Amino acid sequence: MLTDRLESKFMANEPIFTYEIENLYPDVPRSSLFRQIKEAVEYGALRQFVRGVYYLPSACGGIRTEDVIRKRYIGWGGKVYGTYSGVQVINHFCQENITGVPVEIVTNNETSRGRIVSILGREYIIKKSRCEITADNANAYMLVQLFDQLNDGEMLSVPAKKVIMKFISRCNISRAQVIEISSHFTARPIRNLEMSGIMQQIA
């Protein structure tokens, strides 16, 4: 049965993309495989969240749009391949509350410079990462992204600097990481990091 193999590979209430199902059954014709998917959905053993996204249901709970986006573009199962950028980063570090703007994500799993993905009415801006994002450098990438988004010479508040320094310390971000990632950007992030005085405090 189709779901037997899915249950051995995926957890309940985990987004499962069509291509992942196809990868599990490389020798099954697509027409036959999609017929089995349809039957599993009709039987209730598999549920469709949106087109191309399924999940194994549990007695309670389900999946959310955020789960789909996180698995597809940010990270899942211990792997990391993306991070937030844009307004979300500004809000987090600078303690602002800008709303009404789509969530922006940079990821290895995108080839365009920017496109809008819409799921159940929620829009996300998905952009190609400037270098490979991994579990080791994702936090440093987000830090560099923040300073790339600031205007040249833009001053940060004292509370914002404290939040940033705590983030650097908690995530063990090194100067070497910041320099390496910044090499894939323009000179702006390094210039802003130095002018803020934060670069001098990174070990």
Side-chain angles (χ1 to χ4, degrees):
M1 188 175 179
L2 174 75
T3 53
D4 290 340
R5 192 177 296 185
L6 293 181
E7 288 173 353
S8 69
K9 176 73 174 178
F10 304 100
M11 298 180 64
N13 300 324
E14 173 184 348
I16 305 171
F17 301 106
T18 301
Y19 72 85
E20 293 182 298
I21 300 177
E22 291 180 290
N23 290 342
L24 282 180
Y25 297 90
D27 299 325
V28 178
R30 292 186 85 247
S31 58
S32 176
L33 184 59
F34 277 87
R35 183 173 63 253
Q36 292 183 54
I37 292 173
K38 182 179 179 181
E39 290 173 353
V41 170
E42 291 174 348
Y43 182 71
L46 190 68
R47 289 184 184 170
Q48 184 177 40
F49 182 66
V50 292
R51 182 178 180 182
V53 183
Y54 302 86
Y55 66 99
L56 297 164
S58 64
C60 59
I63 65 173
R64 305 167 301 162
T65 300
E66 291 79 5
D67 298 324
V68 176
I69 289 295
R70 183 159 58 90
K71 182 176 180 181
R72 183 69 183 90
Y73 298 111
I74 298 175
W76 196 269
K79 294 183 179 180
V80 177
Y81 32 84
T83 188
Y84 292 100
S85 62
V87 168
Q88 284 66 39
V89 175
I90 297 291
N91 285 345
H92 177 72
F93 288 112
C94 299
Q95 302 179 323
E96 297 186 13
N97 190 30
I98 304 171
T99 60
V101 180
V103 172
E104 187 173 307
I105 294 167
V106 290
T107 175
N108 304 337
N109 296 340
E110 178 57 44
T111 57
S112 71
R113 297 183 64 180
R115 67 187 178 99
I116 294 178
V117 172
S118 180
I119 301 178
L120 298 179
R122 293 198 60 180
E123 292 187 339
Y124 299 83
I125 300 174
I126 311 297
K127 294 183 177 182
K128 178 182 178 181
S129 55
R130 293 174 182 255
C131 62
E132 184 178 6
I133 297 174
T134 67
D136 292 329
N137 71 7
N139 291 318
Y141 192 108
M142 191 175 357
L143 177 71
V144 172
Q145 183 76 51
L146 167 67
F147 282 89
D148 185 58
Q149 292 171 194
L150 299 178
N151 295 322
D152 285 335
E154 184 175 343
M155 299 298 292
L156 292 169
S157 67
V158 172
K161 287 185 179 181
K162 289 182 177 179
V163 171
I164 292 169
M165 289 309 303
K166 286 181 180 179
F167 177 77
I168 292 170
S169 176
R170 184 176 70 251
C171 299
N172 295 315
I173 297 173
S174 69
R175 176 185 291 265
Q177 284 181 316
V178 171
I179 291 174
E180 197 285 324
I181 292 171
S182 295
S183 69
H184 300 278
F185 287 72
T186 64
R188 177 184 292 172
I190 282 290
R191 184 163 57 241
N192 284 335
L193 276 160
E194 290 176 344
M195 291 184 67
S196 70
I198 287 177
M199 189 65 179
Q200 292 83 335
Q201 299 182 59
I202 303 177

